[in-house]
Amino acid sequence: MSAAAVPQPRAHHEPTAAAARGRRRSLGVALLSGALGAALVLLATSRTWAKGTAAVAKGTLPQHANGDDITGLPGALAVVGLAALVAVFAVNRVGRWVVSGLLTLSGAGIVVSSVLGASDKAALEEKASQATGLADSAIHDVAYTPWPWVAMGGGALLLLAGVLALGYGRHWPAMSGRYERAGAGGEGGKGGGRSRVAGRA
């Protein structure tokens, strides 16, 4: 039996086909869920979360509060999470762990703040006080919309992206590494070209 017929053992660091597919799938899911989650949060926080009426001398005055009126935290964290998702591909090693953790915390913070804001009427009461001119003006017939839960869902998607980045991010490609390889290849090509010219001369 020739040596060429003997199968060579697989290197321990070489990923299997299934593992490679899993890493590619995790990358796609993280990008999609992170981008979609941030978009949902930013959309939801610009919509009405709570409605009510304030009593005035000649009847009632409708009041409404959007997500940013009730809490500015989900919208701010969505921007932070989206920036962290992009930064995952611009850093390596420890930096990737840090931004992945920031992405995860942003998603978790959006979930918590959205749930707390889903039943908050402080912003409505403040608007009612401004409308009536009374410091402790009551708000009546309070109703809440589904938008806080949409924001919570967006936060959950960002949280999923962060968890995937923490678990698989070390295997994802980095923009800086790709650029460095391209630059090194270009320099080598130029050097090789000069060497061939010198040899012909």
Side-chain angles (χ1 to χ4, degrees), residues 41 73-74 76-82 84 99-113 154-156 158-159:
V41 174
L73 195 57
L77 288 176
V79 174
V80 172
L82 190 58
V99 295
S100 298
L102 181 60
L103 175 59
T104 305
L105 291 175
S106 296
I110 291 171
V111 170
V112 173
S113 57
L158 278 168
L159 177 59

Side-chain angles (χ1 to χ4, degrees), residues 93-166:
R93 299 185 180 88
V94 177
R96 182 163 289 191
W97 281 98
V98 171
V99 295
S100 298
L102 181 60
L103 175 59
T104 305
L105 291 175
S106 296
I110 291 171
V111 170
V112 173
S113 57
S114 297
V115 171
L116 294 177
S119 58
D120 191 332
K121 63 178 182 177
L124 282 177
E125 292 173 343
E126 182 180 352
K127 288 194 170 190
S129 297
Q130 293 173 354
T132 61
L134 301 175
D136 297 322
S137 181
I139 191 76
H140 306 283
D141 303 323
V142 178
Y144 299 97
T145 70
W147 286 109
W149 306 107
V150 175
M152 186 200 71
L157 289 174
L158 278 168
L159 177 59
L160 172 62
V163 171
L164 289 173
L166 286 173

